[in-house]
Amino acid sequence: MERFFENAMYAARWLLAPVYFGLSLALLALTVKFFQEILHVLPNIFSIAEADLILVLLSLVDMALVGGLLVMVMFSGYENFVSTLNISEGKEKLSWLGKMDAGSLKNKVAASIVAISSIHLLRVFMDAKNVPDNKLMWYVIIHLTFVLSAFAMGYLDKLSRQGKY
C-alpha cells in the first residue's frame, strides 16, 4: 500500500506539466501585448513627448523582464519538479538549464520582481505630478518590501548553503 501511494504521489508531479505549458501561453499573450504597444507608439513617434516615450519604453522593458521571468519559471520549474528536458545534441541549450535548483529559482524570481517593481516605480516617479503623495508613499513602501524580502530570502539561502541555518 505504501509503495502504491509513493508511486502515485511521484506520478502526480506530471499535473504540473500543463501549468508550465500554460505559462508558455501567458508568454504568447505578453508577446502580443508587447507588439501591440509598439504598434501604438510607432505612428506617433514624431509627435509623442519625450517623457511619454520613456514611459512607453519602460513599459516595454517591464514586459521583457516579465517574459524572462516566465521563461525562467517555466523551464526551471519543469526541470526541477516534473522531468528533465531532452534537448537534442544539435539544438541550442540555455546555459542555465539543469543548473538552477528550487532555491536559486526562488531567488531569481525575487530579484526579477524587484527589477520589475523598480521599473514600475520609475514610471510612477516620472509621472509623479499626477500621483497623489499618499499613493507615491505606498508605491515606495511596497517596493521596499519587495527589496527587503528578496534580500532576506537571498541571505537565508546563503546561510542554508553554508550549513548555518
Side-chain angles (χ1 to χ4, degrees):
M1 187 63 105
E2 179 182 352
R3 186 87 168 139
F4 169 76
F5 282 117
E6 289 172 353
N7 287 334
M9 283 192 316
Y10 191 70
R13 74 189 191 283
W14 283 98
L15 294 172
L16 282 172
V19 172
Y20 293 121
F21 180 74
L23 289 178
S24 68
L25 297 177
L27 185 60
L28 177 65
L30 185 67
T31 302
V32 168
K33 280 309 225 182
F34 181 90
F35 284 104
Q36 180 185 27
E37 193 67 29
I38 287 177
L39 290 175
H40 280 132
V41 79
L42 282 181
N44 305 316
I45 195 70
F46 295 110
S47 62
I48 194 169
E50 183 181 342
D52 293 335
L53 178 61
I54 290 172
L55 288 173
V56 170
L57 294 176
L58 286 173
S59 178
L60 294 174
V61 169
D62 204 16
M63 284 190 248
L65 287 172
V66 170
L69 178 62
L70 283 171
V71 168
M72 197 170 30
V73 170
M74 190 170 53
F75 287 135
S76 293
Y78 183 87
E79 279 215 324
N80 283 321
F81 303 116
V82 181
S83 179
T84 57
L85 291 169
N86 296 319
I87 299 171
S88 61
E89 200 64 33
K91 290 191 177 180
E92 181 181 0
K93 185 175 180 180
L94 300 171
S95 63
W96 49 267
L97 271 180
K99 298 176 185 170
M100 198 179 305
D101 62 2
S104 57
L105 176 61
K106 182 175 54 176
N107 287 331
K108 298 259 189 227
V109 168
S112 295
I113 289 171
V114 169
I116 292 164
S117 174
S118 298
I119 289 175
H120 183 74
L121 189 59
L122 181 57
R123 285 175 46 203
V124 169
F125 281 156
M126 290 196 62
D127 194 34
K129 63 183 177 289
N130 297 324
V131 180
D133 287 345
N134 64 337
K135 267 194 160 186
L136 201 57
M137 177 190 70
W138 280 110
Y139 282 123
V140 171
I141 289 171
I142 291 168
H143 176 70
L144 288 176
T145 302
F146 287 144
V147 170
L148 289 173
S149 296
F151 177 77
M153 285 173 29
Y155 183 70
L156 289 174
D157 187 55
K158 181 180 177 182
L159 287 179
S160 67
R161 290 183 194 274
Q162 293 176 348
K164 296 180 181 177
Y165 177 66

